[in-house]
Amino acid sequence: MGTINNRNGFQLEKPDVTLGFIPLTDCAPLVIAQEKGYFSAEGLNVTLSREASWAGIRDKVGLGILDGAQMLASIPVASRLGIGGPKIDMVSAMVLDLNGNAITINNQLYNHLYEIDSRCEFSPLIAAQALQCLIEENKRSKRPKLRFGVVYPCSTQSYELRYWLASAGIDPDRDVEIVVIPPPKMVTAMTDGDIHGFCVGEPWNTLAVQQQIGHVVATKYQLWNNSPEKVFAVSESWSKENPLTHQALLRALIKACIWLDKKENRRVAAKIISQAAYIALPEETVALSLMGSSLKHHGLPAEKVEDFHVFHRYSANFPWLNHAEWFISQMYRWGQLTTPVNIEETVAAVYKPSLFRIAAAAVGIECPSIDRKTEGNLHEKMILSKSQHIGPNQFLDGQIISVGGIIKYLEKQNLSKADIPALRLINVQKEV
């Protein structure tokens, strides 16, 4: 039985909801929506459930144990396609944040790269090239493969790590070993010697550097400026059964993201999300990246990176369809997806700009009028209107993806396992 939401005067189908999150800095939108009363203001009684892994979140949303969750931006797409787990029809109408990840390697590996080329301290591309030299040396000496951790097979982190490796001609499936480790266990795995490096969200990179066990060699922002990281996702059936509740959740989360993107609120946010119920790490560890700094090397000052975490500006919350297309391109590139699918139809079934526009209008914010945009063409922010703009969007390798050009882009990628002719038969895209 629904209850009346006094502010909007409508009945929510399911006012009592449970939402899942992983202890990461970018769980902040859900936590702030709860702690600052944005959920309750919408007539929602929300329980936040700290989960151990992304696979667990995926399965619990699919089974209805969780009503919705913070989720890697690629998971709803992968789940719709049955990649990396059971086929679950999920939808996402909102991006929670941009950027926020990094690639960290252990001290021994970093020292090897530094000996090969000291410029790896500042350049992700040079670091990858130095790693390629080391891997070739290891092959000649018949040493074991280096092992890297990612948080989920079809994760944004997996694609970012693979992208970085491939930029130097390193084959992620042949030249190194990639294993799945939940985010909170990454630092322990590196400390124990189980992995040589990892790609994960904050604050776990910062913690590794603070504990003097590793160095950051690349950030997500350096790999692809302002790319999507987490989304809010629900099952398609849940969204259809609870449309008013879904909109109420979106409105609350948009307000939380607006609050989070104000600089004066970041320190307060760090204090809140660092608590035991959420991330359970020292406030100073959590605050560093949230305050716009990237700690890459112990003994050196943190670098200023204003856009390390973006929660609202740059039209960050809008679910761009071309972002979902990029995830599918990576699934093809690395052989996770082999069956040709209609990419345009698939992403339209998962990412829901129309639902976001409804919630945004109710909150009183402007939305982009288009569903796709070119990627890789901006080195500075671009004004869309008086109240909205998009940020830089360059890739590490300087490539550009035009609207409708995802297959053309995929065709250019080295080490790709994609069957381009088969994809062209089923995808007729007009490049803009």
Side-chain angles (χ1 to χ4, degrees):
M1 183 73 179
T3 61
I4 297 295
N5 180 307
N6 292 326
R7 188 177 70 81
N8 293 304
F10 55 71
Q11 191 174 49
L12 298 179
E13 307 90 355
K14 197 174 193 296
D16 298 326
V17 296
T18 301
L19 306 178
F21 74 94
I22 296 287
L24 291 154
T25 303
D26 55 17
C27 73
L30 275 73
V31 175
I32 294 303
Q34 179 79 319
E35 295 284 348
K36 291 294 178 180
Y38 295 123
F39 283 140
S40 60
E42 294 289 346
L44 294 159
N45 178 29
V46 171
T47 299
L48 294 182
S49 177
R50 175 172 160 155
E51 300 295 328
S53 70
W54 292 116
I57 276 188
R58 174 202 66 204
D59 293 345
K60 288 183 178 181
V61 169
L63 293 169
I65 298 170
L66 295 172
D67 294 290
Q70 167 207 26
M71 207 172 285
L72 295 162
S74 52
I75 286 184
V77 181
S79 294
R80 171 75 60 161
L81 294 168
I83 306 298
K87 186 182 186 306
I88 304 170
D89 289 341
M90 293 186 188
V91 296
S92 175
M94 180 179 176
V95 176
L96 296 174
D97 68 309
L98 311 177
N99 310 320
N101 297 336
I103 297 171
T104 300
I105 60 176
N106 69 17
N107 293 335
Q108 183 180 20
L109 179 54
Y110 178 78
N111 290 336
H112 282 311
L113 302 192
Y114 192 86
E115 289 172 3
I116 294 170
D117 193 328
S118 61
R119 294 175 299 170
C120 70
E121 182 177 332
F122 307 105
S123 170
L125 195 53
I126 291 174
Q129 292 165 349
L131 179 62
Q132 197 273 340
C133 293
L134 179 64
I135 287 173
E136 291 304 313
E137 180 186 320
N138 287 346
K139 286 179 182 178
R140 291 191 293 270
S141 302
K142 301 189 184 305
R143 297 190 186 101
K145 291 180 182 180
L146 298 171
R147 186 181 298 115
F148 290 84
V150 297
V151 301
Y152 187 76
C154 306
S155 62
T156 51
Q157 291 85 357
S158 175
Y159 299 138
E160 288 153 16
L161 176 66
R162 288 168 175 272
Y163 188 80
W164 177 67
L165 293 169
S167 72
I170 301 168
D171 189 326
D173 295 310
R174 294 186 177 185
D175 295 336
V176 300
E177 184 181 354
I178 296 178
V179 297
V180 174
I181 300 171
K185 296 183 179 180
M186 282 291 188
V187 174
T188 300
M190 182 179 282
T191 302
D192 292 345
D194 297 331
I195 53 175
H196 300 89
F198 55 68
C199 185
V200 73
E202 283 296 322
W204 304 106
N205 300 285
T206 295
L207 184 65
V209 178
Q210 287 180 332
Q211 293 186 353
Q212 300 187 18
I213 64 166
H215 295 257
V216 171
V217 290
T219 64
K220 180 182 175 83
Y221 184 86
Q222 291 174 311
L223 299 174
W224 178 12
N225 306 162
N226 297 305
S227 53
E229 178 47 31
K230 304 299 189 307
V231 297
F232 177 69
V234 299
S235 70
E236 184 177 51
S237 59
W238 190 96
S239 179
K240 289 179 178 178
E241 291 166 6
N242 305 284
L244 299 180
T245 305
H246 194 185
Q247 283 294 317
L249 287 166
L250 294 175
R251 290 193 298 271
L253 288 168
I254 290 171
K255 293 172 188 174
C257 286
I258 291 171
W259 185 91
L260 276 164
D261 241 14
K262 295 177 180 177
K263 286 185 179 180
E264 62 267 27
N265 292 334
R266 290 294 181 96
R267 172 59 75 170
V268 176
K271 184 177 181 63
I272 293 171
I273 67 175
S274 63
Q275 295 178 67
Y278 303 123
I279 299 179
L281 282 179
E283 181 183 332
E284 291 305 315
T285 299
V286 176
L288 203 59
S289 67
L290 203 54
M291 298 292 289
S293 294
S294 175
L295 185 63
K296 292 185 174 180
H297 309 286
H298 41 84
L300 293 177
E303 295 179 17
K304 200 66 182 170
V305 185
E306 293 290 346
D307 289 341
F308 199 100
H309 294 285
V310 174
F311 293 102
H312 180 68
R313 61 187 177 277
Y314 304 151
S315 301
N317 304 129
F318 189 78
W320 294 98
L321 297 185
N322 61 285
H323 287 165
E325 290 175 350
W326 189 83
F327 295 135
I328 293 179
S329 79
Q330 299 310 290
M331 294 172 196
Y332 278 120
R333 183 182 185 183
W334 304 118
Q336 294 173 331
L337 181 60
T338 55
T339 305
V341 300
N342 187 305
I343 296 174
E344 190 172 323
E345 289 180 1
T346 301
V347 300
V350 181
Y351 276 26
K352 298 294 181 181
S354 59
L355 294 182
F356 180 79
R357 288 189 177 104
I358 294 170
V363 174
I365 62 170
E366 257 194 292
C367 275
S369 59
I370 54 175
D371 292 343
R372 290 175 171 82
K373 61 185 176 75
T374 298
E375 295 294 332
N377 63 326
L378 299 177
H379 68 277
E380 58 185 17
K381 70 179 181 181
M382 183 177 78
I383 306 299
L384 296 180
S385 70
K386 187 176 180 180
S387 62
Q388 60 174 327
H389 53 276
I390 54 177
N393 61 11
Q394 291 187 308
F395 289 94
L396 177 68
D397 56 11
Q399 294 199 47
I400 294 176
I401 311 174
S402 301
V403 173
I406 194 65
I407 294 177
K408 183 178 178 180
Y409 163 80
L410 180 56
E411 192 173 20
K412 296 177 183 176
Q413 304 311 297
N414 65 328
L415 304 172
S416 176
K417 299 176 176 67
D419 185 345
I420 299 297
L423 281 171
R424 288 197 184 282
L425 283 175
I426 198 170
N427 289 275
V428 182
Q429 292 185 311
K430 184 177 180 181
E431 190 170 355
V432 178

